[in-house]
């Protein structure tokens, strides 16, 4: 089989077992004579897949009973607008910690709806670190605080989520969902586009405290209403059935290999291998981010000049190491090492980094 190691930031690598299972079942799902993606989303067969995925999310992330688990099309970007449309008004305010490109986009959308306030901005420091909790002065009257737990482009990650006291914390976990447990004492809502750590693109996983769902506006178009999605078990309209199916398969895979404890072990091992390769390169590879804010999902680094970086990307590609170019807005290199990236993939990359440095360093 000609599988390569795909370090793309998203859509991104999926467990090969998941792809194989899907391809085995694609044409004729469980001897039903048709594909799951050709079936009614109101039928029994689809419902098992759909409800099964929701049950697995609850189990793996230990989601308490007073939270709703919802699937919504439109990815994380729709959530940037949908959250303020549901929870913010022209005369109420929300706090934003702008740690990078993605938190900034959420802020920009919220600003159209209500009084969005930046309480910390890493732009002047080129988004190289996560602030400490005492750098954040929350507004008492904020209806929520928005953070992005892992900045996919800038390669920084909250090591611990902040405690925002009585103000609901809303977290964009698109690129580190299912890579770490969630402290439900701190988090009132999270959302994540599925194409980083769960499934193909086409959907966001939303987990939201029931009390917050209760506060969400109801005088807005139906699709934007969290209460409708929650009350209809994410079947208010036709869900993206293929993406839900793949989410189900990925969660089964995750559970089978040992759940979050095993994922965390692999995650830390992979991240340590890459950061060690950078730190031990005598300055040939350099990390632009602060050590205590380093992402375990998206590892970014630079090389002495852009020409070398391009050569690195091209040579790596030839050896089956794909998707290593940094985001166009920041340049450099980036290796996305999501849950599905095997340890061997990172091992192969690190060996390539050593060889490249010996040859061109
Ligand atoms: C990819 C990403 C998004 C955007 O997700 P879409 O599904 O493309 O809308 C938002 N936030 C973070 C942290 C991301 O990594």
């Amino acid at each position: 089989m000609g599988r390569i190691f795909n370090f793309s930031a998203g859509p991104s690598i999926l467990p090969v077992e998941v792809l194989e299972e899907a391809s085995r079942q694609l044409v004729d799902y469980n001897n039903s004579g048709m594909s799951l993606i050709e079936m009614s989303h109101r039928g029994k067969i689809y419902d098992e897949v759909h409800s099964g995925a929701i049950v697995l999310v609850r189990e793996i992330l230990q989601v308490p009973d007073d939270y709703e688990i919802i699937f919504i099309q439109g990815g994380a970007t729709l959530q940037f607008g949908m959250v303020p449309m549901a929870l913010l008004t022209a005369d109420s305010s929300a706090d934003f910690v702008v740690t990078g490109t993605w938190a900034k986009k959420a802020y920009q959308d919220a600003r159209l709806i209500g009084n969005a306030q930046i309480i910390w901005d890493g732009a002047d420091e080129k988004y190289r670190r996560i602030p400490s909790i005492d750098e954040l002065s929350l507004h008492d009257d904020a209806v929520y605080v928005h953070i992005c737990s892992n900045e996919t482009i800038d390669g920084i990650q909250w090591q611990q989520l902040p405690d925002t006291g009585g103000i609901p914390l809303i977290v964009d976990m698109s690129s580190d969902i299912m890579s770490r447990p969630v402290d439900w004492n701190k988090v009132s809502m999270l959302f994540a586009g599925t194409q980083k750590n769960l499934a193909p693109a086409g959907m966001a996983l939303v987990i939201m405290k029931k009390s917050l769902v209760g506060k969400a506006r109801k005088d807005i178009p139906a699709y934007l209403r969290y209460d409708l999605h929650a009350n209809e078990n994410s079947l208010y309209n036709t869900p993206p059935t293929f993406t839900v199916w793949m989410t189900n398969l990925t969660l089964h895979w995750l559970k089978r290999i040992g759940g979050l404890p095993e994922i965390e072990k692999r995650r830390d091992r992979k991240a340590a291998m890459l950061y060690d390769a950078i730190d031990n390169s005598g300055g040939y590879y350099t990390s632009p981010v602060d050590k205590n804010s380093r992402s375990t999902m998206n590892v970014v680094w630079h090389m002495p000049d852009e020409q070398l970086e391009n050569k690195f990307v091209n040579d790596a590609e030839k050896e089956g190491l794909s998707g290593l170019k940094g985001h166009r807005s920041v340049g450099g290199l980036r290796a996305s090492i999501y849950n599905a990236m095997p340890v061997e993939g990172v091992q192969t990359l690190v060996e390539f980094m050593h060889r490249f440095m010996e040859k061109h360093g």
Side-chain angles (χ1 to χ4, degrees):
M1 191 175 41
R3 295 275 294 171
I4 59 171
F5 292 117
N6 171 14
F7 293 92
S8 167
S12 42
I13 186 170
L14 289 167
V16 68
E17 297 91 328
V18 167
L19 297 173
E20 283 169 344
E21 170 73 7
S23 76
R24 261 196 303 277
Q25 299 274 359
L26 184 68
V27 175
D28 179 3
Y29 186 82
N30 277 356
N31 300 319
S32 64
M34 57 178 150
S35 179
L36 187 82
I37 58 177
E38 299 172 302
M39 281 177 200
S40 166
H41 58 292
R42 309 279 173 203
K44 187 171 175 299
I45 298 177
Y46 176 73
D47 188 63
E48 262 174 36
V49 172
H50 184 95
S51 299
I54 293 172
V55 167
L56 280 166
V57 170
R58 197 172 291 283
E59 185 182 331
I60 292 168
L61 286 181
Q62 296 181 19
V63 182
D65 287 343
D66 59 334
Y67 286 73
E68 300 281 6
I69 296 169
I70 311 171
F71 298 145
I72 305 180
Q73 304 198 35
T77 301
L78 178 64
Q79 295 307 305
F80 291 166
M82 194 163 152
V83 168
M85 278 192 277
L87 298 172
L88 205 55
T89 54
D91 50 15
S92 67
S93 76
D95 287 347
F96 287 77
V97 184
V98 178
T99 43
T101 314
W102 290 116
K104 187 166 180 195
K105 287 200 169 171
Y107 159 74
Q108 285 168 333
D109 269 5
R111 219 170 47 164
L112 302 171
I113 311 290
N115 184 21
Q117 308 199 72
I118 296 181
I119 56 166
W120 189 86
D121 192 346
D124 289 346
E125 301 176 35
K126 294 199 169 157
Y127 300 133
R128 62 174 173 77
R129 69 182 182 95
I130 299 293
S132 64
I133 182 74
D134 35 270
E135 288 175 273
L136 310 177
S137 35
L138 308 177
H139 294 96
D140 291 336
D141 59 348
V143 291
Y144 63 85
V145 182
H146 174 102
I147 66 167
C148 173
S149 56
N150 182 68
E151 288 283 0
T152 320
I153 292 173
D154 308 283
I156 58 175
Q157 184 176 30
W158 290 80
Q159 312 296 303
Q160 277 193 337
L161 302 187
D163 187 343
T164 53
I167 308 172
L169 179 66
I170 298 181
V171 190
D172 174 4
M173 285 194 74
S174 293
S175 51
D176 63 356
I177 189 77
M178 299 293 165
S179 77
R180 61 196 297 188
V182 175
D183 183 347
W184 296 107
N185 292 318
K186 292 178 178 171
V187 176
S188 291
M189 174 181 185
L190 68 78
F191 59 83
T194 47
Q195 74 275 26
K196 312 280 165 59
N197 238 346
L198 277 172
M203 189 171 90
L205 163 65
V206 175
I207 307 179
M208 191 169 182
K209 218 172 187 164
K210 285 182 177 165
S211 56
L212 207 55
V213 173
K215 283 184 198 148
R217 282 177 73 159
K218 295 175 178 60
D219 57 343
I220 50 179
Y223 200 78
L224 305 175
R225 286 179 51 183
Y226 289 108
D227 65 309
L228 282 189
H229 289 293
N231 294 342
E232 302 288 332
N233 192 34
S234 303
L235 288 164
Y236 173 74
N237 74 326
T238 317
T241 54
F242 183 69
T243 299
V244 173
W245 178 25
M246 297 295 276
T247 300
N248 177 307
L249 292 179
T250 301
L251 294 174
H252 271 294
W253 168 83
L254 206 156
K255 190 177 159 183
R256 214 161 48 232
I257 65 166
L260 288 189
E262 175 62 23
I263 281 292
E264 288 189 276
K265 253 187 255 163
R266 295 184 188 185
R267 175 200 71 196
D268 289 344
R269 197 163 153 221
K270 288 183 287 182
M273 282 162 68
L274 259 177
Y275 286 116
D276 283 349
I278 293 166
D279 292 343
N280 300 332
S281 70
Y284 188 68
Y285 303 114
T286 53
S287 164
V289 307
D290 278 16
K291 273 199 173 151
N292 49 15
S293 297
R294 285 174 163 182
S295 170
T296 56
M297 291 285 114
N298 310 94
V299 178
V300 299
W301 71 96
H302 291 288
M303 292 174 57
D305 63 62
E306 207 182 318
Q307 225 177 332
L308 274 171
E309 290 175 347
N310 289 336
K311 185 164 175 50
F312 183 98
V313 171
N314 291 334
D315 287 5
E317 189 85 48
K318 284 181 205 142
E319 299 201 16
L321 301 162
S322 162
L324 290 165
K325 199 171 173 54
H327 190 270
R328 59 189 185 278
S329 63
V330 292
L333 290 305
R334 170 175 56 173
S336 297
I337 49 173
Y338 299 124
N339 288 348
M341 175 57 65
V343 172
E344 304 88 86
V346 177
Q347 186 98 50
T348 309
L349 172 58
V350 164
E351 282 160 15
F352 175 80
M353 289 168 78
H354 288 313
R355 263 188 291 125
F356 192 93
M357 183 168 78
E358 270 168 27
K359 208 163 151 196
H360 304 284

